[in-house]
């Protein structure tokens, strides 16, 4: 379910009312089939909560008229505005108890502090590198809801501007607030929502997921000061339990992150499916791998040239909500040539990467 509304500038906003979770429903179902009873209960509970949230949001979308955005100056640009709430294991999306606001000292609850810090690291990448003031570019508050549900094996971003953190069951996932890249991933869904608003289905949905993995990885690399060669290019390594170790996904080697990882690295393995919105989490391995190839071919810090090219593409008015891998790839090459030159190392790296993953660049 989505709505068409005018947007400031030339781009049309299409609001997607999907649930952008770090773990897809396909994986949760596969895990539940072979799980022990206690773990199966946690996985099935997670699936039930996720499905209920999807249905509720679709119903809200059918009744809601989204209004145009009015741009306002942000006098506090460069400073995040963070608020962390304790949901006390409730699965209610209404904010729980506010436990830490911007500038306040650390809490006694480590999950609160991890969410607060990782929000700050994500804000820092977008502000320091891309001069973007928060998710919407206008200083949007970053609101996190920790301890969501009981043994909830997921973390997700909702279109209202909130991130929800499950504590995990300890076997599938652990405390999801620990993942710098996971937080960067989920908040980037918000950036995408305010820019290209890539529809959460098929190739555009896989691009939506891939952009979140790309910038989630860049948040981690920027905070740790890692070059493209030093980074592990794993997503979720800090939140997985033993069942999904060592990570949820690998941008360097899609399909190898864990026993249940089925991501393809090239179009030869593209998965045609009706589940998970057309395989958005699976097929995102293809553009993920393309970014990894670009970043490592250019070398140095991935958030500089490679990240700038991807960011330029994400905010390009020519990127349509129903973009395909090919149209996105073509825009990345256009962005690279525009910023660095038609025959530059950066442009050549982009063209070679898409060729390697067998996506046609027009």
């Amino acid at each position: 379910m989505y709505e068409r509304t005018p947007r400031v500038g030339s781009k049309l906003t299409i609001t997607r009312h999907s649930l952008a979770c770090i773990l897809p429903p396909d994986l949760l179902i596969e895990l539940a089939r072979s799980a022990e009873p206690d773990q199966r209960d946690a996985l099935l509970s997670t699936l039930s909560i996720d499905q209920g949230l999807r249905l509720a949001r679709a119903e809200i979308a059918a009744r809601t008229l989204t209004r145009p955005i009015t741009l306002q100056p942000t006098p506090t640009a460069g400073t995040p505005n963070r608020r962390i709430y304790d949901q006390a294991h409730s699965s209610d999306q209404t904010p729980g108890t506010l436990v830490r606001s911007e500038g306040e000292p650390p809490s006694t609850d480590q999950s609160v502090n991890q969410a607060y810090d990782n929000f700050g690291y994500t804000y820092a990448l977008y502000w320091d590198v891309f001069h973007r003031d928060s998710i919407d570019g206008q200083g949007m508050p970053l609101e996190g809801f920790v301890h969501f549900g009981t043994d909830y094996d997921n973390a997700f971003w909702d279109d209202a501007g909130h991130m929800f953190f499950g504590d995990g069951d300890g076997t599938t996932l652990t405390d999801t607030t620990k993942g710098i890249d996971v937080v960067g991933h989920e908040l980037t869904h918000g950036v995408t929502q305010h820019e290209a608003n890539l529809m959460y289905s098929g190739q555009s949905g896989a691009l939506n997921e891939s952009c979140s993995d790309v910038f989630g990885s860049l948040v981690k690399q920027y905070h740790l000061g890692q070059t493209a060669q030093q980074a592990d290019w794993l997503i979720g390594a800090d939140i997985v339990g033993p069942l999904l170790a060592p990570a949820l996904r690998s941008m360097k080697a899609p399909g190898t992150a864990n026993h249940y990882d089925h991501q393809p690295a090239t179009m030869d393995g593209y998965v045609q499916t009706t589940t998970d919105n057309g395989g958005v989490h699976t097929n995102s391995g293809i553009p993920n791998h393309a970014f990894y190839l670009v970043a490592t071919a250019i070398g140095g810090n991935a958030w500089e040239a490679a990240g700038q090219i991807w960011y330029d593409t994400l905010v390009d008015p020519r990127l349509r909500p129903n973009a395909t891998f090919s149209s996105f790839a073509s825009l990345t090459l256009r962005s690279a040539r525009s910023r660095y030159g038609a025959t530059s190392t950066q442009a050549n790296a982009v063209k070679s990467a898409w060729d390697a993953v067998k996506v046609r660049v027009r």
Side-chain angles (χ1 to χ4, degrees):
M1 178 69 69
Y2 57 85
E3 300 152 0
R4 296 166 62 88
T5 59
R7 178 192 170 183
V8 173
S10 61
K11 196 181 292 185
L12 182 72
T13 294
I14 296 181
T15 304
R16 56 170 187 82
H17 294 272
S18 55
L19 195 64
C21 296
I22 196 68
L23 259 65
D26 285 3
L27 176 57
L28 290 168
I29 291 170
E30 185 175 0
L31 293 171
R33 285 176 178 153
S34 58
E36 295 297 323
D38 287 349
Q39 185 197 359
R40 184 183 300 117
D41 288 346
L43 292 166
L44 293 177
S45 175
T46 298
L47 279 163
S48 177
I49 290 171
D50 290 355
Q51 178 62 13
L53 292 171
R54 287 186 180 93
L55 291 173
R57 292 168 69 184
E59 291 170 0
I60 292 170
R63 301 192 302 267
T64 303
L65 177 64
T66 304
R67 300 191 179 278
I69 297 170
T70 301
L71 294 175
Q72 299 290 341
T74 55
T76 59
T79 302
N81 182 6
R82 293 166 283 186
R83 293 193 284 264
I84 310 299
Y85 298 84
D86 184 356
Q87 298 305 101
H89 305 293
S90 167
S91 56
D92 189 344
Q93 287 185 274
T94 302
T97 303
L98 178 62
V99 287
R100 190 177 180 188
S101 296
E102 188 62 42
E104 292 183 348
S107 165
T108 57
D109 185 334
Q110 190 62 22
S111 296
V112 170
N113 298 329
Q114 287 169 165
Y116 182 93
D117 290 344
N118 289 335
F119 276 179
Y121 302 148
T122 302
Y123 184 94
L125 174 83
Y126 277 106
W127 176 254
D128 295 350
V129 178
F130 308 118
H131 310 295
R132 183 183 188 89
D133 185 12
S134 195
I135 301 307
D136 61 350
Q138 302 174 68
M140 172 190 268
L142 302 176
E143 297 192 322
F145 296 0
V146 303
H147 305 306
F148 178 76
T150 300
D151 295 335
Y152 180 68
D153 281 317
N154 230 326
F156 66 91
W157 161 267
D158 74 359
D159 291 334
H162 310 122
M163 183 169 174
F164 293 77
F165 299 90
D167 292 334
D169 63 19
T171 300
T172 304
L173 293 184
T174 59
D175 183 356
T176 58
T177 65
K178 294 186 297 185
I180 299 175
D181 51 352
V182 171
V183 173
H185 172 108
E186 294 299 336
L187 296 186
T188 297
H189 279 303
V191 176
T192 299
Q193 174 188 338
H194 285 275
E195 294 296 342
N197 222 332
L198 294 163
M199 291 189 294
Y200 206 66
S201 178
Q203 290 194 10
S204 61
L207 287 167
N208 194 317
E209 280 296 324
S210 177
C211 285
S212 281
D213 276 354
V214 164
F215 289 98
S217 182
L218 292 182
V219 169
K220 182 177 179 179
Q221 292 177 40
Y222 183 65
H223 172 65
L224 296 177
Q226 295 176 331
T227 66
Q229 284 72 22
Q230 292 169 334
D232 61 16
W233 295 99
L234 297 174
I235 302 297
D238 295 322
I239 70 164
V240 294
L243 191 62
L244 292 176
L248 297 176
R249 293 181 286 278
S250 170
M251 299 177 70
K252 179 178 181 178
T256 68
N258 60 69
H259 178 70
Y260 302 91
D261 181 7
H262 308 303
Q263 281 198 319
T266 75
M267 288 299 292
D268 286 345
Y270 186 88
V271 177
Q272 299 285 355
T273 179
T274 58
T275 63
D276 189 26
N277 296 92
V280 297
H281 288 87
T282 300
N283 291 319
S284 61
I286 297 168
N288 274 3
H289 192 54
F291 182 82
Y292 161 80
L293 292 173
V294 172
T296 51
I298 295 172
N301 298 322
W303 61 83
E304 293 176 350
Q308 188 66 62
I309 292 165
W310 251 243
Y311 183 77
D312 288 348
T313 302
L314 186 58
V315 301
D316 190 328
R318 291 166 292 197
L319 180 61
R320 308 310 301 164
N322 61 348
T324 63
F325 287 177
S326 182
S327 64
F328 183 87
S330 298
L331 282 176
T332 62
L333 182 57
R334 184 190 293 259
S335 296
R337 288 172 171 169
S338 175
R339 185 172 283 274
Y340 299 106
T343 60
S344 63
T345 298
Q346 294 86 348
N348 290 336
V350 170
K351 179 64 167 63
S352 295
W354 289 115
D355 287 346
V357 300
K358 302 185 179 181
V359 170
R360 179 173 174 266
V361 180
R362 297 192 300 271

